[in-house]
Protein backbone atom coordinates (compact mmCIF):
# COMPACT_ATOMS: atom_id res chain seq x y z
CA UNK A 1 0.00 0.00 0.00
CA UNK A 2 1.28 3.44 -0.87
CA UNK A 3 1.65 5.66 2.23
CA UNK A 4 0.84 8.73 0.12
CA UNK A 5 -2.25 7.14 -1.48
CA UNK A 6 -4.00 5.19 1.29
CA UNK A 7 -6.59 3.54 -0.97
CA UNK A 8 -3.94 2.05 -3.29
CA UNK A 9 -2.90 -1.55 -2.54
CA UNK A 10 -0.80 -2.32 -5.63
CA UNK A 11 0.11 -0.61 -8.91
CA UNK A 12 1.32 -2.37 -12.06
CA UNK A 13 1.95 -1.63 -15.71
CA UNK A 14 0.90 -4.49 -17.96
CA UNK A 15 0.98 -5.52 -21.59
CA UNK A 16 -1.82 -7.68 -22.90
CA UNK A 17 -1.79 -9.91 -26.01
CA UNK A 18 2.00 -10.18 -26.12
CA UNK A 19 3.62 -12.61 -28.55
CA UNK A 20 5.19 -15.90 -27.43
CA UNK A 21 8.49 -14.06 -26.99
CA UNK A 22 6.85 -11.33 -24.88
CA UNK A 23 6.96 -8.70 -27.61
CA UNK A 24 4.32 -6.10 -28.47
CA UNK A 25 1.00 -6.17 -26.59
CA UNK A 26 -1.36 -3.40 -25.53
CA UNK A 27 -0.37 -1.39 -22.46
CA UNK A 28 -2.58 -0.95 -19.39
CA UNK A 29 -2.12 0.64 -15.98
CA UNK A 30 -3.71 -1.48 -13.22
CA UNK A 31 -4.55 -0.09 -9.78
CA UNK A 32 -5.64 -2.57 -7.11
CA UNK A 33 -7.54 -0.58 -4.50
CA UNK A 34 -8.85 -1.10 -0.97
CA UNK A 35 -11.62 1.30 -1.98
CA UNK A 36 -12.36 2.83 -5.35
CA UNK A 37 -11.54 6.53 -5.73
CA UNK A 38 -14.27 8.85 -7.06
CA UNK A 39 -14.97 8.82 -10.79
CA UNK A 40 -13.49 12.29 -11.33
CA UNK A 41 -10.20 11.26 -9.72
CA UNK A 42 -10.12 8.00 -11.70
CA UNK A 43 -10.48 9.97 -14.93
CA UNK A 44 -7.79 12.43 -13.86
CA UNK A 45 -5.38 9.54 -13.27
CA UNK A 46 -6.27 7.88 -16.58
CA UNK A 47 -5.91 11.13 -18.51
CA UNK A 48 -2.32 11.50 -17.31
CA UNK A 49 -1.34 7.84 -17.63
CA UNK A 50 1.10 6.79 -20.36
CA UNK A 51 -0.96 3.66 -21.11
CA UNK A 52 -4.03 3.98 -23.35
CA UNK A 53 -6.20 2.39 -20.65
CA UNK A 54 -6.30 2.44 -16.85
CA UNK A 55 -8.30 -0.02 -14.75
CA UNK A 56 -9.21 0.31 -11.07
CA UNK A 57 -10.17 -2.84 -9.13
CA UNK A 58 -11.61 -3.01 -5.63
CA UNK A 59 -9.83 -6.01 -4.10
CA UNK A 60 -12.65 -6.42 -1.59
CA UNK A 61 -15.54 -7.11 -3.95
CA UNK A 62 -14.08 -7.27 -7.48
CA UNK A 63 -15.74 -4.09 -8.74
CA UNK A 64 -13.74 -2.71 -11.68
CA UNK A 65 -13.78 0.50 -13.71
CA UNK A 66 -11.94 1.05 -16.99
CA UNK A 67 -10.96 4.52 -18.23
CA UNK A 68 -9.13 5.65 -21.34
CA UNK A 69 -7.66 9.13 -21.76
CA UNK A 70 -11.08 10.61 -22.57
CA UNK A 71 -13.79 8.68 -20.72
CA UNK A 72 -14.89 5.61 -18.77
CA UNK A 73 -15.83 2.47 -20.70
CA UNK A 74 -18.60 0.18 -19.37
CA UNK A 75 -16.54 -2.73 -20.74
CA UNK A 76 -13.14 -3.07 -22.41
CA UNK A 77 -11.31 -6.29 -23.17
CA UNK A 78 -7.57 -5.76 -22.84
CA UNK A 79 -7.67 -3.67 -19.62
CA UNK A 80 -9.72 -6.34 -17.83
CA UNK A 81 -7.37 -9.11 -18.97
CA UNK A 82 -4.48 -7.02 -17.68
CA UNK A 83 -6.27 -6.59 -14.35
CA UNK A 84 -6.92 -10.35 -14.19
CA UNK A 85 -3.22 -11.05 -14.75
CA UNK A 86 -2.16 -8.62 -12.01
CA UNK A 87 -4.73 -10.03 -9.57
CA UNK A 88 -3.50 -13.56 -10.29
CA UNK A 89 0.14 -12.51 -9.83
CA UNK A 90 -0.71 -10.87 -6.51
CA UNK A 91 -2.48 -13.98 -5.19
CA UNK A 92 -6.11 -12.87 -5.51
CA UNK A 93 -8.45 -15.69 -6.54
CA UNK A 94 -11.08 -13.72 -8.45
CA UNK A 95 -12.98 -15.71 -11.08
CA UNK A 96 -15.09 -12.71 -12.07
CA UNK A 97 -15.07 -8.93 -12.05
CA UNK A 98 -18.05 -6.60 -12.00
CA UNK A 99 -17.92 -3.68 -14.43
CA UNK A 100 -20.66 -1.13 -15.17
CA UNK A 101 -21.87 -3.32 -18.06
CA UNK A 102 -22.23 -6.43 -15.85
CA UNK A 103 -20.21 -9.44 -14.66
CA UNK A 104 -17.14 -10.69 -16.55
CA UNK A 105 -15.93 -14.27 -16.04
CA UNK A 106 -12.15 -14.82 -15.73
CA UNK A 107 -9.86 -17.84 -15.96
CA UNK A 108 -6.36 -18.96 -16.92
CA UNK A 109 -5.76 -21.50 -19.70
CA UNK A 110 -2.63 -22.54 -21.64
CA UNK A 111 -0.49 -19.72 -20.19
CA UNK A 112 -3.10 -17.16 -21.25
CA UNK A 113 -5.61 -15.10 -19.31
CA UNK A 114 -9.19 -15.31 -20.55
CA UNK A 115 -12.47 -13.53 -20.03
CA UNK A 116 -16.00 -14.15 -21.23
CA UNK A 117 -18.51 -11.38 -21.92
CA UNK A 118 -21.47 -10.66 -24.22
CA UNK A 119 -20.52 -9.42 -27.67
CA UNK A 120 -23.14 -6.68 -27.34
CA UNK A 121 -21.00 -5.01 -24.64
CA UNK A 122 -18.18 -4.27 -27.07
CA UNK A 123 -17.91 -0.68 -28.32
CA UNK A 124 -19.27 -0.30 -31.83
CA UNK A 125 -16.68 -0.47 -34.59
CA UNK A 126 -16.68 -1.14 -38.31
CA UNK A 127 -14.92 -4.10 -39.86
CA UNK A 128 -13.45 -3.90 -43.32
CA UNK A 129 -12.00 -6.97 -45.00
CA UNK A 130 -9.08 -6.28 -47.36
CA UNK A 131 -7.72 -8.51 -50.09
CA UNK A 132 -4.55 -9.61 -48.33
CA UNK A 133 -2.41 -9.13 -45.20
CA UNK A 134 -0.09 -7.03 -47.37
CA UNK A 135 -2.92 -4.53 -47.92
CA UNK A 136 -3.59 -4.39 -44.16
CA UNK A 137 0.05 -3.69 -43.42
CA UNK A 138 0.36 -1.09 -46.20
CA UNK A 139 -2.30 1.26 -44.82
CA UNK A 140 -0.51 4.55 -44.10
CA UNK A 141 -2.98 5.77 -41.49
CA UNK A 142 -6.57 5.83 -40.25
CA UNK A 143 -9.32 5.46 -42.88
CA UNK A 144 -11.92 8.21 -42.97
CA UNK A 145 -14.68 5.97 -41.58
CA UNK A 146 -12.96 5.17 -38.29
CA UNK A 147 -13.32 3.62 -35.78
CA UNK A 148 -12.60 0.62 -37.98
CA UNK A 149 -10.78 -2.69 -37.77
CA UNK A 150 -9.25 -3.65 -41.11
CA UNK A 151 -8.42 -7.32 -41.57
CA UNK A 152 -7.53 -10.05 -44.02
CA UNK A 153 -7.16 -13.81 -43.85
CA UNK A 154 -3.69 -15.15 -43.19
CA UNK A 155 -4.99 -18.74 -43.11
CA UNK A 156 -8.73 -19.08 -43.49
CA UNK A 157 -8.81 -22.78 -42.71
CA UNK A 158 -6.86 -22.27 -39.49
CA UNK A 159 -8.87 -19.16 -38.56
CA UNK A 160 -5.85 -16.82 -38.50
CA UNK A 161 -6.27 -13.19 -39.55
CA UNK A 162 -4.09 -10.10 -39.84
CA UNK A 163 -5.72 -6.97 -38.40
CA UNK A 164 -5.22 -3.34 -37.42
CA UNK A 165 -7.61 -1.08 -35.52
CA UNK A 166 -7.89 2.70 -35.97
CA UNK A 167 -9.84 5.03 -33.67
CA UNK A 168 -8.37 8.56 -33.62
CA UNK A 169 -11.76 10.04 -32.67
CA UNK A 170 -11.46 8.05 -29.42
CA UNK A 171 -7.93 9.25 -28.73
CA UNK A 172 -6.20 6.20 -30.30
CA UNK A 173 -4.82 6.88 -33.81
CA UNK A 174 -3.95 3.18 -33.99
CA UNK A 175 -4.78 0.57 -31.35
CA UNK A 176 -1.96 -1.95 -31.08
CA UNK A 177 -4.24 -4.79 -29.99
CA UNK A 178 -7.99 -4.25 -29.78
CA UNK A 179 -9.69 -7.09 -27.94
CA UNK A 180 -13.21 -5.72 -28.23
CA UNK A 181 -13.06 -5.27 -32.01
CA UNK A 182 -11.64 -8.79 -32.33
CA UNK A 183 -14.46 -10.14 -30.17
CA UNK A 184 -16.98 -8.56 -32.53
CA UNK A 185 -15.16 -9.94 -35.57
CA UNK A 186 -15.24 -13.49 -34.21
CA UNK A 187 -18.90 -13.07 -33.25
CA UNK A 188 -19.76 -11.80 -36.75
CA UNK A 189 -17.85 -14.58 -38.51
CA UNK A 190 -19.16 -17.20 -36.07
CA UNK A 191 -15.83 -18.96 -35.57
CA UNK A 192 -12.75 -18.97 -33.31
CA UNK A 193 -9.94 -16.71 -34.51
CA UNK A 194 -6.30 -16.04 -33.84
CA UNK A 195 -5.75 -12.38 -34.64
CA UNK A 196 -2.26 -11.09 -35.43
CA UNK A 197 -2.83 -7.48 -34.54
CA UNK A 198 -0.89 -4.23 -34.91
CA UNK A 199 2.86 -4.79 -34.94
CA UNK A 200 2.56 -8.44 -33.91
CA UNK A 201 0.31 -8.79 -30.86
CA UNK A 202 -1.65 -12.05 -30.66
CA UNK A 203 -5.35 -12.12 -29.70
CA UNK A 204 -7.44 -15.29 -29.29
CA UNK A 205 -11.23 -15.11 -29.57
CA UNK A 206 -13.93 -17.80 -29.42
CA UNK A 207 -17.64 -17.04 -30.02
CA UNK A 208 -19.98 -18.88 -27.66
CA UNK A 209 -23.53 -18.00 -28.65
CA UNK A 210 -24.18 -14.42 -27.52
CA UNK A 211 -20.93 -14.51 -25.52
CA UNK A 212 -17.32 -14.32 -26.70
CA UNK A 213 -14.22 -15.61 -24.94
CA UNK A 214 -11.17 -13.36 -25.24
CA UNK A 215 -7.67 -14.52 -24.34
CA UNK A 216 -4.01 -13.71 -24.60
CA UNK A 217 -0.64 -13.77 -22.93
CA UNK A 218 -0.08 -11.00 -20.39
CA UNK A 219 2.98 -9.48 -18.71
CA UNK A 220 2.93 -7.11 -15.75
CA UNK A 221 5.51 -5.24 -13.65
CA UNK A 222 4.98 -3.45 -10.37
CA UNK A 223 5.72 0.27 -10.44
CA UNK A 224 6.10 2.94 -7.78
CA UNK A 225 2.97 5.01 -7.24
CA UNK A 226 4.96 8.24 -7.04
CA UNK A 227 6.62 7.49 -10.38
CA UNK A 228 3.41 6.54 -12.22
CA UNK A 229 0.86 8.86 -10.63
CA UNK A 230 2.81 11.85 -9.39
CA UNK A 231 1.08 14.00 -6.80
CA UNK A 232 -2.62 13.39 -6.40
CA UNK A 233 -5.10 15.40 -4.35
Amino acid sequence: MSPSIPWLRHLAEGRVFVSRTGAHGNAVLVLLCTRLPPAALRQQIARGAPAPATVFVDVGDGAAHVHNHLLERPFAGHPLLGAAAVLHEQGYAFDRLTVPAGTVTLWSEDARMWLRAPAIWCPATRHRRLDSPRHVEALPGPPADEPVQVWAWLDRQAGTVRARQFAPSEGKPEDEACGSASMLLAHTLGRPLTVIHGKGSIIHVRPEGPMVALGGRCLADAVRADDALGRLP
Side-chain angles (χ1 to χ4, degrees):
M1 183 180 296
S2 168
S4 60
I5 309 175
W7 48 264
L8 180 62
R9 174 65 57 84
H10 181 75
L11 178 66
E13 291 178 340
R15 285 184 294 120
V16 181
F17 307 129
V18 299
S19 69
R20 291 184 178 181
T21 62
H24 311 297
N26 212 348
V28 59
L29 186 67
V30 179
L31 293 88
L32 304 186
C33 311
T34 55
R35 59 178 175 83
L36 290 172
L41 180 55
R42 297 198 305 266
Q43 189 60 56
Q44 176 187 339
I45 293 169
R47 187 178 300 114
T54 302
V55 57
F56 303 80
V57 182
D58 188 322
V59 296
D61 62 8
H65 291 266
V66 177
H67 294 251
N68 62 26
H69 290 149
L70 300 179
L71 49 81
E72 180 175 1
R73 286 288 192 191
F75 168 81
H78 100 263
L80 293 173
L81 283 180
V86 173
L87 286 164
H88 181 77
E89 186 269 336
Q90 289 295 303
Y92 292 97
F94 283 101
D95 61 2
R96 62 196 64 210
L97 292 174
T98 303
V99 295
T103 300
V104 178
T105 304
L106 309 172
W107 73 98
S108 178
E109 176 187 327
D110 298 330
R112 305 181 186 112
M113 294 304 304
W114 288 82
L115 64 78
R116 181 181 293 111
I120 197 172
W121 289 359
C122 297
T125 191
R126 297 176 179 85
H127 291 97
R128 182 186 301 162
R129 180 181 170 185
L130 301 185
D131 291 337
S132 72
R134 179 173 55 85
H135 288 89
V136 173
E137 293 164 2
L139 278 176
D145 60 343
E146 58 84 20
V148 61
Q149 186 183 55
V150 296
W151 68 280
W153 289 111
L154 278 166
D155 185 332
R156 185 166 188 163
Q157 184 173 358
T160 306
V161 305
R162 182 73 175 92
R164 294 168 68 189
Q165 168 80 5
F166 299 93
S169 62
E170 299 175 1
K172 295 179 288 186
E174 182 168 355
D175 193 331
E176 169 57 29
C178 189
S180 299
S182 300
M183 290 172 73
L184 287 174
L185 181 62
H187 180 71
T188 299
L189 297 177
R191 59 177 296 179
L193 298 174
T194 299
V195 183
I196 312 304
H197 210 293
K199 296 178 180 178
S201 301
I202 302 177
I203 302 172
H204 299 272
V205 275
R206 301 193 301 239
E208 302 172 354
M211 313 291 281
V212 182
L214 172 71
R217 296 174 184 268
C218 305
L219 297 177
D221 295 306
V223 293
R224 284 169 41 89
D226 292 344
D227 292 340
L229 305 181
R231 290 185 174 273
L232 294 177

